Amino acid sequence: MLVAAAVCPCPPLLVPDVAAGAAPELDAARAACTDALGVLAASRPDLLVVVGPAEQSGRGRHPQGARGSFRGFGVDLDVRLGGAKPASGTGEPLASGVSERELPPSLAVAAWLLERTGWSDAPIEGLGVGEPLAAERCIQVGEEIVAQAERVALLVMGDASACRTLKAPGYLDERAEGFDAEVARALGTADVAALKALDADLAYELKASGRAPWQVLAGAAEGAGLGGALLYDDVPYGVGYLVAAWS
C-alpha cells in the first residue's frame, strides 16, 4: 500500500555544484524538496521506490547502492542510491557488476536529494521509466510497485513543460501554461484520476519529462486515500518545476 509520496523536479541544476553561480536561483526548490522528503521519512515505509524519466540505457530497475554521476555535466561528483548498502531485500552486498549500470540523471538527482537529507529510513530501489511508456502501462507499473511491501513510499522525479518562455529549451508554446496548471492542481490535490488522464502526446510535445512517472504514481495511489499539498510551483529557465507531498 502507498503510504506517502514526494514529487520533485529532476534538473541537474538542483545540485549546487552543477548550477555553480546560478545555484541560489533554485534554493526555494531545494528547500521544498527537503520538506517533501521529510513527509516520506515521517511515513515510516518498509520500502522507498524512486521513479524518474530515463533514456533507453537507464530504463528499468536500479538496486540500492547503484551509482550515479554528474561528470557529464562537468562536475566531479558521484552519488549512490541510498548510499553504498546492500541491494534491497537481499542483506548481501551488491553482486559484482550489478551496480555498474549508471543511474539516469533523474535518479542521480534523487540520490543526491536523499544523501542531502540523510535518508536511512528504509530500503530503496530505483526505477527508470521511458517517456513513451503508455499511460495504461505506467498505471500497471504503479500497481506492481505497491504490491512489493506492506508500506511503500514513492519519490517521483520529473519536470513539467519545457516550453513556458521564449528562452525555454522547447521555446514558447501557448499550451504549456494550461498543461502545467492542471498538473500542479492534480499533484496539489492528489487527484489520481486527473493524473491518469494526462495527454501523453501533449506532454511529449511540451517536453514534460514527468508525465510517465506521475502516471506511475497515479497507479500506485489508487485507493490509498492520500491527500496532497503543492509545495513549489515556478518556471525557472522556462521549465515548469513542481514539488508536492502526498500523505
Side-chain angles (χ1 to χ4, degrees):
M1 178 178 179
L2 186 70
V3 294
V7 179
C8 295
C10 60
L13 289 172
L14 268 182
V15 180
D17 287 353
V18 176
E25 296 177 23
L26 291 180
D27 278 349
R30 293 185 195 97
C33 290
T34 298
D35 290 343
L37 266 63
V39 171
L40 297 184
S43 73
R44 302 180 65 83
D46 300 320
L47 173 67
L48 173 64
V49 180
V50 185
V51 182
E55 297 297 329
Q56 186 69 45
S57 63
R59 293 174 190 169
R61 295 188 179 276
H62 297 266
Q64 183 161 337
R67 184 180 66 86
S69 172
F70 295 98
R71 296 174 191 272
F73 301 96
V75 175
D76 185 14
L77 176 64
D78 294 329
V79 292
R80 286 193 180 274
L81 188 63
K85 299 177 181 179
S88 174
T90 67
E92 299 293 337
L94 290 170
S96 176
V98 169
S99 63
E100 290 304 308
R101 191 165 68 108
E102 191 167 289
L103 295 170
S106 67
L107 298 190
V109 172
W112 178 82
L113 287 171
L114 290 163
E115 286 185 6
R116 180 172 180 258
T117 56
W119 178 274
S120 60
D121 296 79
I124 301 175
E125 65 179 47
L127 179 65
V129 295
E131 184 281 330
L133 195 65
E136 294 78 8
R137 179 57 183 149
C138 292
I139 293 164
Q140 182 182 8
V141 168
E143 294 169 347
E144 293 168 355
I145 286 173
V146 293
Q148 292 181 237
E150 186 173 343
R151 297 178 61 82
V152 177
L154 285 182
L155 173 52
V156 183
M157 308 298 293
D159 302 337
S161 73
C163 303
R164 292 290 296 274
T165 67
L166 293 173
K167 294 184 178 180
Y171 195 65
L172 177 65
D173 190 311
E174 300 291 346
R175 303 170 296 174
E177 184 174 359
F179 176 87
D180 288 356
E182 172 59 11
V183 172
R185 186 202 65 78
L187 292 176
T189 59
D191 189 336
V192 170
L195 292 178
K196 287 182 176 182
L198 289 176
D199 186 326
D201 291 335
L202 178 59
Y204 175 77
E205 292 170 10
L206 296 177
K207 302 183 183 301
S209 69
R211 190 277 305 173
W214 298 330
Q215 290 186 319
V216 171
L217 167 61
E222 184 65 49
L226 302 182
L230 189 66
L231 306 181
Y232 181 86
D233 179 3
D234 205 354
V235 288
Y237 320 114
V239 181
Y241 294 156
L242 302 167
V243 180
W246 292 18
S247 62

